[in-house]
Amino acid sequence: MNELLDYINDPDIRKIAGKIIADTRISPEDGLLLFTKAGLPLLGMLTGIVRRRKNNGFAYYIRNFHIEPTNKCVYNCRFCSYHKSSSDPDSWEYSHEQMLEIVMKFNDKEVSEAHIVGGVHPSYDLHYYGSLIKKIRQLRPSLHIKAFSAPELDYMIKLTGMTVEEGLYRLKEYGLDSIPGGGAEIFDEKLRAEICNEKTSSESWLSIHETAHKLGIPSNATMLYGHFETYAHRIDHMERLRKLQDRTGGFNAFIPLKFKKANNSMSYLGEVSIIEDLRNYAVSRIYLDNIQHIKAYWPMTGKAAAQLSLSFGADDLDGTIDDTTRIYSMAGAEEQNPVMTTDEICKLIADAGFEPVERDSLYNRI
Ligand code: V47
Ligand code: SF4
């Protein structure tokens, strides 16, 4: 392994590579240097070491489906292609019955997770969503319910007049199992004010996840990249997550979300290249040494890029999805009807040189 160090000319990068090989935590300054000075081939080798150490040659997937209760949203994030105002003819809001019908469509299918997220609806409170979860649980008791991003939770809990702790406790009683990673965007306050001024602050996002972890509700974390942010903003974002994870250990996975340009008011920015995506996966895998899994969400990346990301730190491709999400197709993703059979997902993983492992929501092998 030390031979690898002999080929690195830059003394700063050689020192950081030494730390990575020795399994020593890298600093924010090191993270920034990796982003700015390390070439992609070297990042691939270094992240390969970390990935093997953490997840061997395994690549995980899950049989899941999404429910998107509504695309009506009280907020107006500039990057979002999904939300609509209540008066918009393209807006929707499903009744409980309609959402239970979606669950029943999977009656004869082996699915282990329902992922429920949508817009922040102006009038749906915690009890509206809590009773939905309870009905889903009655219908399919073994299903893991991963639901509601921190901004949705923040709003529905406030509407009900509870504290975050009371609200999350109540939702857990209703049957909530875990929380997805959405709404984190980018934590830098100045940048956040430019792209999603109105919604849940970075401090609140982190505090909602910390409270959830303390109540025994695990969660995921995301980062929206490829817009106005600098590498320093990305490192700052990951540093805040790494610190929280040191305290709680409650994050299961980190999911980098690349800004997609279609149908939103930041379209003029365009999209970053796949090289940038791979660099970002690699540095994330190295930096977030206390988060076990890095997810490449294939409905967003496309199948080929997700496959490639497995060699740059990602170890999880999310799931079969079964054409139940619109968030990324509305933002211009190439997968307009995201669906993959388990055979397809396994082949995709095996073709990339990894061993497919079906998992449950908590990454237990099925
Ligand atoms: O928070 C919205 C993002 C997120 C765009 O936890 C956009 O397993 C790119 O969080 N370009 C919601 N991104 C999706 C999400 C998620 C997805 C998959 C798995 C999990 C998980 C969580 O989508 C939002 C926002 O960051 N988003 N618009 C866009 N134009
Ligand atoms: Fe609403 Fe979420 Fe879209 Fe923001 S990203 S406008 S909170 S649906």
Side-chain angles (χ1 to χ4, degrees):
M1 203 90 85
N2 283 339
E3 249 177 65
L4 172 62
L5 295 179
D6 295 338
Y7 289 101
I8 305 173
N9 295 327
D10 185 298
D12 290 333
I13 298 296
R14 197 181 316 122
K15 205 164 148 208
I16 300 167
K19 285 191 192 176
I20 296 166
I21 291 168
D23 202 5
T24 302
R25 176 168 279 193
I26 64 164
S27 68
E29 295 72 31
D30 295 339
L32 197 53
L33 282 169
L34 282 183
F35 264 133
T36 52
K37 285 172 97 179
L40 197 61
L42 177 64
L43 281 177
M45 280 189 266
L46 293 173
T47 203
I49 295 167
V50 179
R51 188 215 191 282
R52 289 263 155 195
R53 208 180 265 149
K54 282 217 151 350
N55 293 297
N56 218 314
F58 303 134
Y60 295 91
Y61 70 93
I62 185 167
R63 294 181 207 233
N64 65 352
F65 66 93
H66 287 227
I67 300 176
E68 296 177 352
T70 182
N71 65 348
K72 294 185 181 175
C73 189
V74 295
Y75 301 126
N76 193 6
C77 305
R78 284 179 60 203
F79 53 80
C80 177
S81 323
Y82 176 76
H83 74 281
K84 296 280 177 276
S85 68
S86 292
S87 55
D88 193 306
D90 289 333
S91 68
W92 74 76
E93 54 184 34
Y94 295 140
S95 64
H96 278 193
E97 288 63 39
Q98 284 170 312
M99 290 188 269
L100 293 172
E101 269 169 34
I102 299 178
V103 179
M104 282 187 285
K105 273 195 206 148
F106 292 89
N107 272 351
D108 57 351
K109 289 189 181 171
E110 284 177 48
V111 280
S112 57
E113 177 187 271
H115 177 144
I116 311 175
V117 281
V120 181
H121 191 280
S123 57
Y124 291 169
D125 69 1
L126 179 146
H127 298 299
Y128 175 86
Y129 281 120
S131 62
L132 169 71
I133 291 180
K134 197 170 166 187
K135 288 177 197 166
I136 296 176
R137 168 99 29 257
Q138 279 162 353
L139 212 57
R140 193 124 184 206
S142 64
L143 204 61
H144 178 108
I145 301 178
K146 180 174 83 177
F148 315 128
S149 64
E152 292 169 274
L153 289 166
D154 191 20
Y155 190 87
M156 73 172 84
I157 292 172
K158 278 190 185 133
L159 211 57
T160 315
M162 291 180 176
T163 65
V164 168
E165 188 166 354
E166 288 164 347
L168 289 173
Y169 185 80
R170 190 76 189 91
L171 282 167
K172 195 178 176 193
E173 284 183 332
Y174 272 122
L176 178 75
D177 291 308
S178 69
I179 297 176
E185 319 314 355
I186 197 86
F187 289 145
D188 177 81
E189 279 72 13
K190 210 162 152 244
L191 194 48
R192 195 174 183 85
E194 278 172 39
I195 64 171
C196 52
N197 189 21
E198 310 147 294
K199 90 169 169 197
T200 308
S201 67
S202 307
E203 201 187 336
S204 299
W205 191 99
L206 289 161
S207 151
I208 288 168
H209 282 258
E210 181 155 15
T211 309
H213 297 171
K214 284 185 180 148
L215 292 172
I217 306 170
S219 69
N220 290 335
T222 57
M223 174 177 76
L224 183 72
Y225 71 97
H227 44 92
F228 301 106
E229 90 290 354
T230 61
Y231 289 137
H233 290 131
R234 291 191 208 171
I235 292 293
D236 165 65
H237 189 97
M238 289 193 258
E239 175 62 13
R240 297 195 207 192
L241 291 173
R242 195 167 75 172
K243 280 197 173 128
L244 199 164
Q245 181 75 339
D246 276 343
R247 292 199 294 277
T248 66
F251 288 122
N252 284 332
F254 176 67
I255 310 146
L257 295 171
K258 169 195 181 127
F259 167 67
K260 302 292 285 181
K261 67 176 182 184
N263 307 315
N264 60 59
S265 64
M266 284 164 41
S267 298
Y268 65 93
L269 289 178
E271 289 176 13
V272 295
S273 70
I274 184 153
I275 300 296
E276 193 51 41
D277 298 332
L278 298 178
R279 191 192 321 282
N280 191 62
Y281 278 114
V283 178
S284 309
R285 175 60 293 167
I286 293 166
Y287 199 81
L288 295 169
D289 56 3
N290 54 2
I291 299 186
Q292 186 66 23
H293 300 285
I294 303 288
K295 187 186 285 192
Y297 184 58
W298 67 265
M300 172 200 72
T301 58
K303 292 175 187 169
Q307 228 175 354
L308 207 49
S309 71
L310 295 175
S311 294
F312 286 83
D315 63 280
D316 179 22
L317 293 191
D318 200 84
T320 41
I321 315 278
D322 223 348
D323 197 13
T324 47
T325 175
R326 290 278 81 87
I327 297 181
Y328 279 100
S329 43
M330 288 165 85
E334 67 191 55
E335 312 291 344
Q336 284 296 297
N337 298 89
V339 52
M340 260 212 273
T341 63
T342 49
D343 282 352
E344 267 180 286
I345 217 166
C346 288
K347 183 172 182 325
L348 199 115
I349 290 169
D351 284 351
F354 293 87
E355 183 184 328
V357 176
E358 182 177 351
R359 64 166 176 91
D360 67 14
S361 303
L362 304 176
Y363 290 84
N364 298 304
R365 218 176 235 264
I366 292 184

